[in-house]
């Protein structure tokens, strides 16, 4: 199956769009710190899912899926920090989206472990 048809990749891609919109409201002084870091994290999620799908073995795929999962946890923390710092409203929706992608990603990792 093509990775572009996978629900986990599609949801991760949708998360990128939402985070870009959300982080656009961060204070200007955060443009090169939290905004940039958060955006790189969410891009890493979908990118590493795609890279994992392009690998030859399940072991290689799992390696990149774990990187994607790590980036997802990092992005989650950054959203929580932005919320704590009162830099953003609407964080709860994004946190729910992150949770959904986490579950899909964990399922995809478990699928590869059985191969």
């Amino acid at each position: 199956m093509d990775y572009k048809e996978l629900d986990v990749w599609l949801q991760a891609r949708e998360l990128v769009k939402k985070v870009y919109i959300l982080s656009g409201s961060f204070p200007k002084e955060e443009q090169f710190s939290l905004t940039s870091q958060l955006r790189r994290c969410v891009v890493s999620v979908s990118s590493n899912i795609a890279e994992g799908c392009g690998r030859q073995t399940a072991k290689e795929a799992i390696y990149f899926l774990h990187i994607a999962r790590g980036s997802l946890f990092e992005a989650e923390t950054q959203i929580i920090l932005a919320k704590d710092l009162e830099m953003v409203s609407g964080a709860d929706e994004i946190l729910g989206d992150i949770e959904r992608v986490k579950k899909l990603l964990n399922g995809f990792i478990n699928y590869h472990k059985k191969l």
Side-chain angles (χ1 to χ4, degrees):
M1 174 183 275
D2 185 9
Y3 74 90
K4 294 183 292 290
E5 297 174 13
L6 295 170
D7 198 32
V8 65
W9 183 81
L10 293 168
Q11 292 295 318
R13 190 172 138 212
E14 191 63 32
L15 182 62
V16 171
K17 290 192 285 186
K18 290 181 178 183
V19 165
Y20 264 71
I21 292 167
L22 182 78
S23 62
S25 67
F26 286 4
K28 203 70 169 160
E29 62 268 15
E30 290 297 327
Q31 182 178 1
F32 299 108
S33 54
L34 189 58
T35 304
S36 176
Q37 182 64 26
L38 176 58
R39 288 176 174 186
R40 282 195 309 271
C41 284
V42 293
V43 167
S44 174
V45 175
S46 54
S47 297
N48 278 291
I49 291 168
E51 186 163 359
C53 289
R55 294 298 169 153
Q56 296 295 316
T57 67
K59 184 178 178 181
E60 288 179 303
I62 290 168
Y63 173 80
F64 286 97
L65 296 175
H66 280 144
I67 292 172
R69 187 168 65 182
S71 294
L72 195 56
F73 276 83
E74 187 178 355
E76 179 180 50
T77 297
Q78 292 165 1
I79 293 288
I80 292 168
L81 292 172
K83 184 178 174 184
D84 290 347
L85 295 168
E86 299 178 355
M87 293 169 46
V88 65
S89 61
D92 291 336
E93 180 184 342
I94 296 283
L95 291 171
D97 293 337
I98 288 172
E99 194 60 36
R100 183 171 39 258
V101 174
K102 267 196 228 176
K103 288 177 182 177
L104 290 168
L105 191 50
N106 284 333
F108 199 44
I109 290 169
N110 288 333
Y111 166 78
H112 277 83
K113 285 180 178 179
K114 294 176 184 175
L115 294 179

